Amino acid sequence: MKPKKSLVWKFFPWLLLIIAGSLLSVSLFASHALKDMYYRQTENALEIRAILLQEVLYHALLSRDDAQVDRLSKQIGRKIQTRITVILPAGKVIGDSEEDPASMDNHRTREEVRIAMTGSRGISIRPSPTLSEDMMYLALPVKHQGNLIAVIRTSKPLNEIRRDLGAIFIRIAGAGLLAAVVSGLFAMWVVRRLNRPIRMLIDGTARFADGDLEYRLSGFETREMTRLADALNRMASDLHERVQTVIRQRNELEAVLFNMVESVIVVDRNERIVRMNQAARDLFGIREAVPEHRTIGEVIRNSDLLELVRTIFETGISKESSMVIYNEPDRHLQVHGTPLKDESGGLFGVLIVMHDITRMQQLENLRREFVANVSHELKTPITSIKGFIETLREGAIEDRENALRFLDIILDRTNQLNALTDDLLNLSRIEEDRRRDLIPMQKGSIRDVVDSALSLCKFRASEKNITVESSCQIPLEFDFNFQLLEHALVNLLDNAIKYTHSGGRISLTCAVTETEAAVAIRDTGEGIAAEHLDRIFERFYRVDKSRSRKSGGTGLGLSIVKHIVQAHRGTVEVSSEPGKGSVFTIRLPLK
Ligand code: ADP
């Protein structure tokens, strides 16, 4: 495209043309008028002289004293610097101020003479045949009693007039040129001055366009420009406010998206990722910023997700599905895809929200596993009880000795069931109270709770001939739940007694630091193999199932210990050496 002319160069040449045209016509008109005036003045002067000559030469003409006429003509002509010619009606020249009349040809046909012969004033401008220059001739008739007796002609060369006029024309032209230059400069100044506010507007609006919406146009001198600038300033201020609102809303949206637990991805019509929050990045292990123009298929290699997006683009309706991201560990996702539509209903993108249901899935699995475990734990003693009752009914009841043995076994299994339901109830109560934050904590002495637990287990220990030592004389008091902590210690002491051979030793020690209190229960029992250490706190986990059952274990004892300790925000740990013994340590924070 041809570059556009600036406003100055668009209007300035025209202004210059108008100025030059006006000055030229004024100059031409003035020159013309001046020329006319000069000619008229010369004409008048010639006429006045001719009229005077009519008087002066009248008598000489009347008496036909041609020599006198010629002499007077020459005399007066020299004095008034005018050529004088006297012509008889026949055309013969009888007097001339500059020539010898005898040498002059007949003048009858000269235009001015011809007119004067008719009685009027004759005038003519033409080159003089004798002097070969332009002359103005004026001829007047001289009459005697109504009859023409001669024609007196006065004439003047026009060269002088022309020279004078030429000088004047040059001056007029010079003045005109000067006026043209001055007006041109003035016009330029005016156009530039008119252009200045426009330039200011252009610069200001360019700054608006570049995003500097806080800039304000000012410094205009005219009312119209000031109003225009005010309107533009208002527009910029409105725009600024709207941009600020949009930025604020975008930041809010970013903050909401960033802090959402759910993973959010927005893709456009071309499947390109427009937005992706931190949770989604973490989920798919994307570290760097997603480059523009990359599609969801390129960034996230998951065919289920891609298919979901494509289905929504095809159908235009929301869709929900579940998918798995195979990783370490696998993530289970519940994915909602929603079409994004503009006001006219046009589909411009898809919003994908992903809920990580891995934990829920795990809990569900745990729950299922737990129900299966409980059923299994209940089933074993119940089957056994049922079997013995049936045997008794089928006649064994008659054999008193055996019947009593069977009843003992039934009692034992019932106790087992009782212990199991007790442990299950305890476990669920602790869990529920913990969830609802209902576990009461009271200031108490660690020594008291240890002594109380020991006294509850003393009998069972002495039954197995196991020595129990305690060195827990610390007079420390802090907040804990006496009953629960006693329960945990009893469980640990019970295990120590259960898994220690008779004649063994159990020692209970306490230690306190600035931040925690620790109780360690050490036994000289069979110990636990390393591969089991990580799992013994799980529900129903036992190293040796039949041994545990035989000794009345439910497989929930350590699980209860762990829950109690966690309710106190503490930890429980174990170290063991098979064949030598085990140490269980409970650590409770003091604050
Ligand atoms: P149980 O009712 O079977 O004792 P627990 O949850 O109390 O269930 O213990 C889980 C398992 O940990 C036991 O079956 C046992 O094998 C092992 N265990 C617990 N305490 C000891 C200990 N002091 N010495 C050896 N093994 C132990």
Side-chain angles (χ1 to χ4, degrees):
M1 202 172 61
K2 212 173 97 184
K4 297 239 166 101
K5 275 186 199 158
S6 82
L7 207 62
V8 173
W9 290 113
K10 189 148 178 71
F11 289 112
F12 184 62
W14 290 104
L15 268 175
L16 218 55
L17 206 69
I18 292 166
I19 291 167
S22 326
L23 282 171
L24 197 68
S25 33
V26 167
S27 307
L28 284 176
F29 177 77
S31 308
H32 246 281
L34 214 60
K35 191 177 159 197
D36 273 0
M37 199 182 79
Y38 259 88
Y39 274 33
R40 251 196 320 278
Q41 265 181 7
T42 313
E43 203 182 296
N44 282 345
L46 287 174
E47 191 172 4
I48 290 163
R49 282 163 201 187
I51 290 167
L52 289 172
L53 282 167
Q54 273 178 330
E55 292 300 316
V56 173
L57 296 175
Y58 185 74
H59 291 291
L61 281 170
L62 204 61
S63 58
R64 283 295 313 269
D65 185 351
D66 291 356
Q68 177 69 353
V69 168
D70 187 41
R71 204 177 54 249
L72 281 171
S73 298
K74 285 193 168 51
Q75 218 172 38
I76 298 167
R78 211 175 308 122
K79 280 185 183 158
I80 62 170
Q81 288 183 338
T82 305
R83 186 175 176 187
I84 302 163
T85 312
V86 184
I87 306 130
L88 289 178
K92 186 178 184 287
V93 179
I94 56 165
D96 190 276
S97 56
E98 280 165 32
E99 301 276 330
D100 178 12
S103 65
M104 291 169 70
D105 53 1
N106 192 302
H107 271 46
R108 222 162 62 118
T109 55
R110 303 289 200 272
E111 199 191 337
E112 68 284 358
V113 177
R114 203 166 38 78
I115 298 165
M117 295 254 189
T118 61
S120 314
R121 190 186 74 152
I123 201 159
S124 159
I125 294 167
R126 58 193 162 74
S128 148
T130 35
L131 299 172
S132 67
E133 55 181 321
D134 269 357
M135 303 281 285
M136 180 183 274
Y137 295 101
L138 188 130
L140 285 180
V142 184
K143 287 182 179 171
H144 174 67
Q145 291 171 351
N147 292 323
L148 181 81
I149 56 167
V151 167
I152 294 175
R153 190 181 74 174
T154 49
S155 59
K156 223 177 156 64
L158 287 178
N159 278 8
E160 274 172 45
I161 301 168
R162 290 222 172 113
R163 220 175 22 250
D164 290 350
L165 277 175
I168 290 170
F169 288 159
I170 285 168
R171 258 183 261 163
I172 288 176
L177 200 67
L178 190 69
V181 170
V182 171
S183 338
L185 289 175
F186 182 67
M188 176 68 115
W189 179 77
V190 169
V191 172
R192 274 187 181 281
R193 216 180 138 72
L194 283 177
N195 205 26
R196 204 171 65 108
I198 295 175
R199 285 206 151 283
M200 281 161 67
L201 278 181
I202 292 170
D203 293 347
T205 45
R207 284 182 74 163
F208 290 158
D210 289 343
D212 184 4
L213 292 171
E214 276 171 301
Y215 176 73
R216 292 289 169 263
L217 293 160
S218 62
F220 294 96
E221 287 162 5
T222 59
R223 196 175 52 220
E224 290 81 358
M225 282 296 179
T226 309
R227 280 170 64 182
L228 180 60
D230 286 349
L232 285 170
N233 283 341
R234 256 200 323 277
M235 188 193 75
S237 144
D238 280 0
L239 213 58
H240 182 64
E241 233 166 78
R242 278 179 213 186
V243 168
Q244 289 304 314
T245 310
V246 170
I247 290 173
R248 202 180 50 245
Q249 285 172 347
R250 196 195 57 194
N251 289 346
E252 281 168 9
L253 182 68
E254 288 287 341
V256 169
L257 277 180
F258 187 85
N259 292 301
M260 265 175 81
V261 182
E262 287 83 3
S263 306
V264 180
I265 300 175
V266 179
V267 292
D268 70 6
R269 200 75 190 77
N270 302 311
E271 293 180 7
R272 283 190 302 237
I273 294 179
V274 184
R275 222 168 257 277
M276 187 178 203
N277 73 350
Q278 194 55 42
R281 270 174 216 287
D282 294 344
L283 185 66
F284 294 104
I286 298 166
R287 303 250 168 279
E288 72 287 2
V290 176
E292 280 177 33
H293 308 306
R294 289 199 65 191
T295 63
I296 187 165
E298 288 168 345
V299 178
I300 300 166
R301 305 216 171 268
N302 186 306
S303 54
D304 292 343
L305 192 63
L306 193 60
E307 200 187 305
L308 178 88
V309 170
R310 288 188 177 157
T311 313
I312 293 169
F313 272 128
E314 273 164 30
T315 58
I317 47 176
S318 304
K319 197 168 184 266
E320 199 179 324
S321 91
S322 51
M323 51 188 75
V324 184
I325 299 173
Y326 297 101
N327 210 330
E328 275 303 318
D330 291 350
R331 315 294 298 182
H332 294 262
L333 303 177
Q334 189 67 27
V335 186
H336 297 260
T338 313
L340 298 174
K341 296 178 179 175
D342 56 27
E343 305 95 84
S344 58
L347 189 63
F348 67 86
V350 167
L351 167 73
I352 300 160
V353 180
M354 287 168 277
H355 304 262
D356 189 344
I357 52 165
T358 313
R359 176 101 186 102
M360 261 166 59
Q361 205 95 12
Q362 281 170 347
L363 288 176
E364 178 61 15
N365 289 345
L366 277 180
R367 194 190 60 82
R368 237 182 272 137
E369 210 178 298
F370 179 69
V371 171
N373 281 337
V374 170
S375 313
H376 180 73
E377 293 294 330
L378 290 172
K379 185 120 185 99
T380 317
I382 287 172
T383 312
S384 168
I385 290 168
K386 190 173 171 245
F388 284 110
I389 291 175
E390 277 168 2
T391 316
L392 284 173
R393 280 197 60 176
E394 279 159 19
I397 196 160
E398 305 301 337
D399 177 355
R400 190 177 156 73
E401 202 178 318
N402 263 335
L404 280 174
R405 199 167 58 81
F406 290 168
L407 282 173
D408 281 346
I409 296 173
I410 290 171
L411 184 65
D412 180 61
R413 299 291 184 272
T414 313
N415 285 337
Q416 209 178 324
L417 276 176
N418 207 25
L420 183 66
T421 46
D422 273 354
D423 276 359
L424 281 172
L425 277 172
N426 281 330
L427 201 58
S428 81
R429 199 175 302 128
I430 295 164
E431 266 182 339
E432 183 61 16
D433 285 355
R434 225 181 111 195
R435 195 178 62 78
R436 294 166 60 189
D437 210 11
L438 283 179
I439 296 176
M441 302 286 177
Q442 268 176 354
K443 207 167 260 315
S445 152
I446 188 107
R447 199 169 50 188
D448 291 349
V449 74
V450 166
D451 286 348
S452 173
L454 275 175
S455 66
L456 286 173
C457 300
K458 218 179 251 165
F459 179 69
R460 279 198 295 282
S462 63
E463 259 185 345
K464 270 187 92 175
N465 195 24
I466 293 170
T467 327
V468 181
E469 299 162 357
S470 163
S471 60
C472 204
Q473 299 309 313
I474 302 167
L476 175 72
E477 291 214 340
F478 69 104
D479 283 339
F480 59 87
N481 183 296
F482 192 96
Q483 224 179 335
L484 287 181
L485 201 55
E486 181 196 62
H487 192 153
L489 292 174
V490 167
N491 277 8
L492 291 178
L493 283 169
D494 242 4
N495 278 350
I497 297 164
K498 252 192 284 178
Y499 302 106
T500 301
H501 312 288
S502 96
R505 212 171 55 248
I506 296 171
S507 64
L508 210 146
T509 50
C510 295
V512 175
T513 68
E514 263 186 30
T515 52
E516 65 176 25
V519 183
I521 295 167
R522 189 183 300 269
D523 63 56
T524 55
E526 62 199 58
I528 307 160
E531 71 262 28
H532 301 292
L533 286 180
D534 277 350
R535 302 199 59 193
I536 51 169
F537 291 97
E538 289 174 18
R539 288 166 188 176
F540 300 115
Y541 190 85
R542 299 157 167 121
V543 174
D544 180 340
K545 275 196 168 51
S546 58
R547 265 218 53 201
S548 158
R549 281 208 189 92
K550 245 179 244 158
S551 56
T554 60
L556 291 172
L558 286 182
S559 183
I560 290 172
V561 172
K562 191 178 86 180
H563 275 81
I564 291 172
V565 172
Q566 282 177 348
H568 286 81
R569 290 178 294 113
T571 55
V572 54
E573 60 206 47
V574 57
S575 65
S576 183
E577 214 178 316
K580 288 206 169 157
S582 317
V583 191
F584 285 82
T585 312
I586 290 177
R587 295 181 193 284
L588 301 176
L590 296 182
K591 286 211 179 87

